[in-house]
Amino acid sequence: MSDSVIGKSRVVTSKFPENRSHIIGVDLDNVCFPHTRELRPYAAEWIAANKRPGTTIDDLVEDAGWFAPEWDITPDEFFAIERYAIERGFFRDANPIEGAVQTLQGLAEKGFVISNVTARTQHNNSTNQKRESLARHGFPNPEHVLFVGDHFGSHLKSMLNYSLYIDDSVSNIHDFESTGIPFIVFDQIYNRELGDRPRVLHWSEVPQLVDDLLVRTVAPPDRSRELHRVEDQCIMLGKRAEDISDRIAALTEQQSELHKQKRRREVKAVKK
């Protein structure tokens, strides 16, 4: 076992096997766990307290896009909501998408190594919470979690040179495609622009696609010697992403305080 430090997080990862051709990189948010949909109750609380008083969960659509613009919030506000939720155990208490555990267990039994590769969030507690949730629900290889930057730096996934990825991010899919790495698109409302690329609507469809994309094709060349160089790059870029995230958090808090002050002034003006 070894420690991999991405940004300010310390993540325990298991040793990579010599044969890299059997590693499947699996994203977590909105692939293994219903991230955006399950964020709704926390989002309703945060929006009601900081932006639109009286907002309830019924005001927020379930099938929201990337950063949930349908909730009439900005990306910065989405991150603020995410931090608010994580402080209350959001990832720790998350329940997996139907079929995820069973499917990945089945692939592991066939000899595939499952690597949980996810974007780093703006709150350090997410690290342990995600690992605890993976272990609690019985995901294979729960100790092998690699955090690659934040939501803006997850393109680093392709640099790990796994044999296949299961992901929902449009930018990641384009990155995998440009580097010739096989992938499976996990269907979400925001990635349907990708058209006829390999896609699944449910985890039960994954094993057949894995068979089509890997078992019946030539495995990619082994580049395990590049792993340390790539991890060093992940660390460096992760630190930069952490600095940016901290700045965004500070600006978001300032914006929220200014909004509250404005509301108080408006209330006082009405009373006069």
Side-chain angles (χ1 to χ4, degrees), residues 49 51 53 258-272:
K51 188 171 184 177
L258 289 172
H259 179 75
K260 290 178 180 178
Q261 292 175 5
K262 180 181 177 182
R263 290 284 299 171
R264 286 194 290 267
R265 289 195 298 268
E266 291 174 347
V267 171
K268 288 181 179 178
V270 171
K271 289 181 177 180
K272 290 180 179 179

Side-chain angles (χ1 to χ4, degrees), residues 42-115:
Y42 301 97
E45 291 177 4
W46 188 93
I47 293 171
N50 296 278
K51 188 171 184 177
R52 295 191 301 275
T55 298
T56 69
I57 190 172
D58 294 331
D59 298 319
L60 308 178
V61 298
E62 287 192 18
D63 293 326
W66 199 252
F67 299 138
E70 295 86 350
W71 299 348
D72 191 23
I73 58 175
T74 66
D76 287 351
E77 290 170 336
F78 181 87
F79 290 137
I81 291 169
E82 193 176 56
R83 287 192 297 273
Y84 174 84
I86 293 170
E87 289 169 354
R88 288 154 181 78
F90 175 63
F91 288 126
R92 183 193 61 233
D93 300 333
N95 291 309
I97 291 175
E98 182 181 1
V101 176
Q102 297 86 342
T103 299
L104 291 173
Q105 285 177 340
L107 291 172
E109 289 172 1
K110 290 181 179 180
F112 293 103
V113 176
I114 306 301
S115 175

Side-chain angles (χ1 to χ4, degrees), residues 15-245:
K15 183 180 178 181
F16 281 77
E18 291 301 321
N19 183 3
R20 300 282 304 279
S21 65
H22 291 298
I23 299 179
I24 298 178
V26 182
D27 186 41
L28 297 182
D29 301 332
N30 284 339
V31 174
C32 290
F33 296 91
H35 184 79
T36 308
R37 188 178 72 236
E38 296 301 313
L39 200 61
R40 288 169 66 235
Y42 301 97
E45 291 177 4
W46 188 93
I47 293 171
N50 296 278
K51 188 171 184 177
R52 295 191 301 275
T55 298
T56 69
I57 190 172
D58 294 331
D59 298 319
L60 308 178
V61 298
E62 287 192 18
D63 293 326
W66 199 252
F67 299 138
E70 295 86 350
W71 299 348
D72 191 23
I73 58 175
T74 66
D76 287 351
E77 290 170 336
F78 181 87
F79 290 137
I81 291 169
E82 193 176 56
R83 287 192 297 273
Y84 174 84
I86 293 170
E87 289 169 354
R88 288 154 181 78
F90 175 63
F91 288 126
R92 183 193 61 233
D93 300 333
N95 291 309
I97 291 175
E98 182 181 1
V101 176
Q102 297 86 342
T103 299
L104 291 173
Q105 285 177 340
L107 291 172
E109 289 172 1
K110 290 181 179 180
F112 293 103
V113 176
I114 306 301
S115 175
N116 305 291
V117 187
T118 182
R120 193 186 185 291
T121 67
Q122 282 64 46
H123 200 294
N124 288 340
N125 286 343
S126 65
T127 303
N128 289 331
Q129 286 189 25
K130 285 186 176 184
R131 292 182 62 243
E132 289 173 10
S133 191
L134 287 169
R136 179 165 60 89
H137 290 290
F139 280 89
N141 210 12
E143 75 281 0
H144 194 146
V145 181
L146 185 61
F147 290 78
V148 285
D150 62 8
H151 291 283
F152 302 105
S154 55
H155 64 279
L156 297 172
K157 291 180 181 181
S158 64
M159 298 172 66
L160 296 170
N161 194 45
Y162 291 166
S163 52
L164 181 142
Y165 289 87
I166 304 174
D167 211 297
D168 64 314
S169 164
V170 173
S171 62
N172 282 342
I173 296 303
H174 285 312
D175 196 37
F176 301 149
E177 198 165 42
S178 67
T179 52
I181 300 175
F183 58 83
I184 295 173
V185 180
F186 199 88
D187 183 73
Q188 294 292 349
I189 188 173
Y190 46 77
N191 63 32
R192 289 171 189 164
E193 65 188 73
L194 292 169
D196 60 357
R197 292 170 175 82
R199 173 184 299 272
V200 296
L201 302 178
H202 190 276
W203 272 98
S204 61
E205 303 171 87
V206 168
Q208 182 61 56
L209 265 182
V210 170
D211 186 60
D212 293 341
L213 295 170
L214 289 184
V215 178
R216 300 178 187 178
T217 59
V218 178
D222 178 20
R223 295 182 181 175
S224 55
R225 293 181 181 179
E226 298 181 10
L227 177 60
H228 294 300
R229 177 182 62 80
V230 171
E231 287 188 335
D232 287 343
Q233 291 176 336
C234 287
I235 292 170
M236 177 186 67
L237 294 175
K239 289 179 178 178
R240 292 178 182 175
E242 176 68 21
D243 291 340
I244 294 172
S245 297

